[in-house]
């Protein structure tokens, strides 16, 4: 048994930079959690008409309806077993904006049925997104989103790509500075750029069992459907 990311990537996982391999090995088997702290050089969003949609998503800690530069940033990757018995890793990002902290929450599981990492967005896991992870020639990690689904009670709807967002995440490690670099962009096929951020952070690894999952880190609702 390996991390959910290594299972999804298969042999491609070994092509990642060693520091990325360690960061994406966080899990129940490794016994490690990762806490990253740094600064986002900029947080941006698209044209003015997208802001109400970002604000709506922000009520469930999905996306960030603010812009900023040199924004202090924390990411918490903590493994745990969810209420459905699945190994889960938190991806909770906190942006310390001048107007107050904003969070972008996700929890991730491995989906053998879909052969990918399944990304549950927000505090209530109403949105589920397939993530495809690949190692780039330079050892960096590229993550692209696939199909989106909205789930609430008996409702299980595929989100049309015309209204959904396509996410691309690039993460690398800079040996000269000892920092991870991340760049995230969410776009829509019709409306163009929606939201994104880029910057750097340092990571520290802690004992996952001793560190635990702090209050407020897990989602309020857990979705059983993969």
């Amino acid at each position: 048994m390996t991390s959910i990311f290594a299972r999804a990537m298969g042999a491609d996982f070994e092509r990642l930079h060693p520091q990325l391999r360690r960061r994406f090995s966080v899990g129940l088997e490794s016994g490690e959690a990762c806490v990253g702290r740094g600064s986002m050089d900029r947080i941006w969003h698209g044209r003015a008409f997208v802001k109400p949609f970002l604000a709506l998503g922000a009520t469930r800690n999905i996306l960030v309806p603010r812009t900023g530069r040199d924004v202090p940033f924390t990411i918490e990757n903590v493994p745990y077993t969810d209420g459905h018995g699945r190994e889960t890793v938190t991806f909770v990002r906190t942006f310390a904006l001048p107007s107050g902290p904003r969070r972008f929450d996700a929890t991730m599981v491995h989906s053998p049925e879909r052969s990918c990492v399944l990304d549950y967005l927000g505090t209530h896991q109403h949105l589920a997104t397939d993530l495809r992870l690949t190692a780039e020639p330079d050892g960096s990690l590229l993550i692209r989103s696939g199909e989106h689904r909205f789930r609430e009670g008996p409702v299980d709807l595929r989100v049309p790509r015309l209204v959904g967002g396509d996410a691309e995440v690039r993460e690398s490690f800079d040996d000269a500075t000892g920092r991870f670099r991340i760049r995230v962009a969410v776009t829509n096929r019709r409306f163009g750029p929606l939201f994104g951020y880029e910057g750097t952070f340092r990571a520290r690894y802690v004992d996952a069992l001793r560190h635990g999952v702090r209050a407020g880190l897990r989602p309020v609702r857990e979705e059983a459907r993969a």
Side-chain angles (χ1 to χ4, degrees):
M1 183 177 179
T2 54
S3 75
I4 64 172
F5 310 102
R7 273 176 267 166
M9 294 182 70
D12 204 32
F13 187 75
E14 296 303 318
R15 296 178 54 233
L16 293 173
H17 186 286
Q19 291 296 333
L20 284 170
R21 286 204 304 270
R22 183 178 184 186
R23 205 173 105 65
F24 285 88
S25 290
V26 296
L28 299 178
E29 184 180 79
S30 72
E32 285 190 329
C34 177
V35 179
R37 299 186 188 279
S39 177
M40 291 300 101
D41 299 333
R42 70 179 186 121
I43 304 171
W44 57 267
H45 61 68
R47 288 175 288 176
F49 68 84
V50 308
K51 192 170 182 179
F53 299 100
L54 297 179
L56 179 63
T59 63
R60 293 293 173 88
N61 288 354
I62 303 174
L63 306 180
V64 177
R66 294 285 186 273
T67 61
R69 290 191 175 273
D70 301 321
V71 177
F73 168 84
T74 303
I75 182 167
E76 298 170 89
N77 302 124
V78 182
Y80 67 95
T81 302
D82 73 5
H84 304 293
R86 301 171 300 189
E87 180 177 4
T88 306
V89 179
T90 66
F91 265 72
V92 173
R93 292 143 285 199
T94 302
F95 302 87
L97 289 153
S99 58
R102 292 280 184 167
R103 274 178 45 167
F104 183 5
D105 291 9
T107 40
M108 300 189 185
V109 302
H110 177 241
S111 173
E113 301 83 2
R114 305 183 70 84
S115 300
C116 68
V117 170
L118 190 60
D119 185 14
Y120 292 112
L121 296 174
T123 56
H124 290 66
Q125 295 193 343
H126 284 134
L127 287 175
T129 301
D130 294 347
L131 296 182
R132 307 292 176 183
L133 293 75
T134 56
E136 295 287 87
D138 63 355
S140 61
L141 176 65
L142 172 62
I143 305 174
R144 286 195 174 105
S145 64
E147 182 178 291
H148 306 285
R149 293 171 300 284
F150 176 82
R151 290 165 170 171
E152 171 60 38
V155 176
D156 187 359
L157 297 175
R158 181 177 177 179
V159 178
R161 296 197 71 178
L162 187 63
V163 298
D166 296 320
E168 182 175 283
V169 180
R170 293 182 181 272
E171 188 164 327
S172 60
F173 186 79
D174 186 336
D175 289 297
T177 63
R179 300 174 72 89
F180 291 90
R181 175 163 289 280
I182 187 167
R183 184 168 78 247
V184 176
V186 182
T187 60
N188 175 269
R189 286 188 167 190
R190 179 174 181 179
F191 302 112
L194 301 179
F195 162 80
Y197 56 90
E198 58 186 89
T200 64
F201 62 92
R202 293 186 184 275
R204 68 181 180 93
Y205 298 91
V206 297
D207 183 289
L209 184 61
R210 185 176 300 173
H211 183 270
V213 185
R214 68 172 178 80
L217 204 62
R218 290 179 62 155
V220 174
R221 166 188 175 271
E222 293 180 337
E223 172 60 54
R225 288 166 287 192

